[in-house]
Structure formats: C-alpha cells, structure tokens
Amino acid sequence: MKRTSIKISKQHPVMTVLKVITLVLTLVLSCMMPVLSGAGLIYNRESYGGELVRVGVLLIISGAVMAVGAVLCLFRKNIPNVIAIILSAGGFALCMTMLHKLADHADKSGWSDKYTMAPISDMYRSRLIPGIIPAVMIIIIAVVQLMSYDLAQQREEKKRVKKERENAPSPSIIGEDD
C-alpha cells in the first residue's frame, strides 16, 4: 500500500495578521469585558440578588466560550474551524442575551451613574456590544479557511484514498496465490 502525504502550503501573511488582530480583539472585547462584568455582578451578589449572579456566571461562560472559539480558528483544520464558528456565534448570542437581561434589570431598577446620571445599561451596552467585531472576524476567518484551496485538496485526497481502499482487491481467504 502506497502512503500519500498531504502537502499544506504556507499561510498567506494577511491571514496571519487578521488572526493576530482577531485574537487580541477577542481577548479584550469578547473575553475581558464579559468576564469582568460578570465578576462584578458575582462580587456584589449581596446587593444584586440571585438572578444577576446567574447572569454574571453566564457572562463569564460566554467570554470563555468566545475565547476558545478564537483559539480554534487559529488552526487550519476542518473540525476546529467548524467548532470555532459554533462557539463564537453561540458565545456571542449568550452574551447578548445576558446583556439584555442585565440592561433590562438596570433600567427597571433605575441604576444610573452617580456623576453623569446616565443609565448604567448604556455602560453595559457600550462594553459588551463591540464583542460582535471579533465574533464576526472569527466566523469569517474560519469560513475562509474551510473554503481554502488547501483544505479542499485535503478533503479530496482523503476521499480518493478512502475510495481506493474500498475498491482494492481483498486478500485471499484460503491462502491461494494468483
């Protein structure tokens, strides 16, 4: 049986730069902001109550999920890229759902900044909504990598090798030589 090696060409420098930018934005916007907001809610749980503690925990989880999605999009493999898309979209959706609950609670409770009297819900929105930027960048990078020529060639090669194995003559059961 002949082994075939799959040759992967070098990644384009623009894609490398985009991945670095995405990773930095993810750490700041998608990970740090939800995690710090959630940690603040958990830290002040005595004054906020159980519902906002759950919101805080889910904000932390959403930040962690989006960070894992960003790390997975660094790899140029099919499965990690598919998982990166799911985690980034899911983590962002969870973050926005928790933002809605938090902002709604803040507005109903009349929370405002003590100096400017601006609603606190605006502060939460301005911190958490920009997380859409790295989430979209992760999805775009993962889709580009899934559609790349190299990975398409890898999939075709795997299909060809599988078909060759299926169509290969089976060994003799009774030990006869042809």
Side-chain angles (χ1 to χ4, degrees), residues 15-32:
M15 189 63 107
T16 304
V17 169
L18 283 175
K19 286 181 180 182
V20 169
I21 292 170
T22 301
L23 194 57
V24 170
L25 287 175
T26 298
L27 290 176
V28 173
L29 299 175
S30 295
C31 188
M32 189 173 74

Side-chain angles (χ1 to χ4, degrees), residues 11 15 18-19 22 68-89 134-149 151-152 155:
Q11 184 169 300
M15 189 63 107
L18 283 175
K19 286 181 180 182
T22 301
V68 170
V71 170
L72 288 175
C73 92
L74 298 177
F75 303 108
R76 294 176 59 205
K77 301 286 182 188
N78 291 325
I79 293 175
N81 279 308
V82 171
I83 294 171
I85 292 170
I86 293 168
L87 291 179
S88 293
V136 168
M137 289 177 73
I138 290 166
I139 292 169
I140 290 170
I141 289 171
V143 167
V144 166
Q145 289 182 148
L146 285 170
M147 300 296 175
S148 74
Y149 178 75
L151 288 180
R155 289 189 291 269

